Amino acid sequence: MQTEILTIENGLDKAAELIKNGDVVVFPTETVYGLGANAFDAQAVRKIFQAKGRPMDNPLIVHIADIKDIDKLAVDVSDSARKVIQKFMPGAITVILKKSELIPNEVSAGLSTVGIRFPSHPVAQAFIKACGVPIAAPSANTSTKISPTTAEHVYEDMQGRVPLILQGGSCQVGIESTIVDMTTDIPTILRPGAITPNMLAKVLGEVKTFSGKIVVAKAPGMKYKHYAPDCDMVVAESEEHAWAKYQESKNAGQNPVILARKDYLDRLNQNNQFEYINLGESNEEVMRNIYSAMHTAQDKYNFIICQDFGDEGVASSVMNRVNKASGGKRV
Ligand code: TXA
Ligand code: MG
């Protein structure tokens, strides 16, 4: 299969046509690129699992471009769920609700719930509208690889497995949506993201944060190894630790790189020469650039040393991904 990359101008009709014919299409969102199929077409949804090599017991998020569709896809939507929807959609959030009968088991992986997301990316919205059906989509990477934040990341990973990638530039948020389960007594964050616990608590009063430990795997995907670059990665507790590890790795004949914020790199840079990727100045920039940096790092280097960004605001969501990528290894 040939994989094409087309823009919204020259590719929208083709994308909608592919979806209507039960095929898959990769599309950009503000978080990461998604691998979409008609959410009502069980056969088409199976193609997503095939293209990704994803286990069938891991449910998919359903993407919409109109708030009104929520009442077709979900039942028993609580007032607090409506508040979250009102406040954060369209945007980087996925809301878990009780599913309606329209959702095939292939999408929900047999659960009684469904994750719904309304992306803010204009290309995502145009694509979903042109398809005329809700779009089931996971991130557009093969299982266990890093999520893609550019069309080129997708091409590199999925070339030959998908017919079409819609071009949408670099994802502005950069990590996957916050997932909040609105079916539990206290709303529960199953995956942290750009919408932080504080932001949700302001709307809901109370929210259970993602603990990092999965006692019961409510987001089944969280039990799989995820977001891992092809080479080893560690988190450094401090600049000193990063530098010591960098030297050790160099001496062992490796080709290491340090991923960090600008201020951190400036402190390291004073007397030292080393390979690095500058992730920017704010936590939002770090979030936007982290996956892209991991993609570059795994292509050019063979050992990644990453700054510990702490747990303020979205930094803690970034660290959730970094800790997965490093398998929790710290120096
Ligand atoms: O930002 C995002 O959410 C991106 C873009 C493409 O929208 N999508 C994404 O999908 O990250 P995926 O499949 O890579 O991750 C979805 C996660 C998985 O861990 C899955 O287990 C969980 O959401 N999930 C999906 N439906 C669920 C449900 N009904 N209950 C609990 N967890 C669910
Ligand atoms: Mg994913």
Side-chain angles (χ1 to χ4, degrees), residues 244-293:
K245 194 69 193 173
Y246 185 86
Q247 293 293 58
E248 182 192 313
S249 164
K250 267 260 172 227
N251 292 338
Q254 285 179 312
N255 186 13
V257 61
I258 298 180
L259 271 49
R261 247 185 340 244
K262 181 171 180 301
D263 56 321
Y264 188 99
L265 292 171
D266 286 344
R267 286 192 292 276
L268 272 178
N269 242 323
Q270 293 181 0
N271 306 305
N272 308 314
Q273 280 242 328
F274 62 100
E275 296 290 316
Y276 61 84
I277 298 177
N278 180 351
L279 296 170
E281 297 188 15
S282 64
N283 287 333
E284 281 68 25
E285 279 180 85
V286 172
M287 178 166 69
R288 185 176 311 141
N289 295 325
I290 189 72
Y291 278 151
S292 197

Side-chain angles (χ1 to χ4, degrees), residues 293-311:
M294 284 189 214
H295 277 281
T296 305
Q298 72 181 10
D299 291 345
K300 277 185 69 180
Y301 305 95
N302 60 21
F303 186 61
I304 304 174
I305 301 163
C306 186
Q307 176 180 358
D308 184 339
F309 301 104
D311 56 9

